[in-house]
Amino acid sequence: MKRTRKKHNPAFKAKVALAAIKGDRTVAELASAFGVHPNQIYNWKKQLLDGATSVFEGGGVTAEGTTSEAQVDLLYRQIGQLKVENDFLARKLGK
């Protein structure tokens, strides 16, 4: 029987890593409580500590990403509108 890997979402990983950083319970206790391997908790904790500096660097990165997504959405709407207009005019001129 083949086992499939569990895919944990980032919120779960952050919750487990923060619990490990707090140090209230041992990693073995956390592993049994959350149902993951202790090595995975150590990896998530290391990733969280390594990536913590990026939170404070360039605070506008997330706002920049949302702005670009909104701009892309607007451009796709404009492209769709222009395509409809172009097809309409092509049909009218073709007749």
Side-chain angles (χ1 to χ4, degrees), residues 74-84:
L74 175 67
L75 290 173
Y76 275 128
R77 278 190 266 135
Q78 287 178 351
I79 289 170
Q81 181 181 359
L82 290 173
K83 182 168 174 34
V84 168

Side-chain angles (χ1 to χ4, degrees), residues 14-83:
K15 183 172 127 178
V16 174
L18 284 173
I21 289 173
K22 282 182 187 177
D24 295 339
R25 296 188 284 175
T26 65
V27 174
E29 291 172 343
L30 292 172
S32 64
F34 290 109
V36 295
H37 197 274
N39 287 344
Q40 192 64 55
I41 294 176
Y42 285 119
N43 289 338
W44 291 342
K45 180 180 172 182
K46 184 178 182 306
Q47 287 176 358
L48 180 65
L49 292 174
D50 290 345
T53 57
S54 67
V55 171
F56 299 106
E57 292 175 357
V61 173
T62 56
E64 200 174 285
T66 3
T67 304
S68 66
E69 289 176 13
Q71 188 176 15
V72 167
D73 185 44
L74 175 67
L75 290 173
Y76 275 128
R77 278 190 266 135
Q78 287 178 351
I79 289 170
Q81 181 181 359
L82 290 173
K83 182 168 174 34

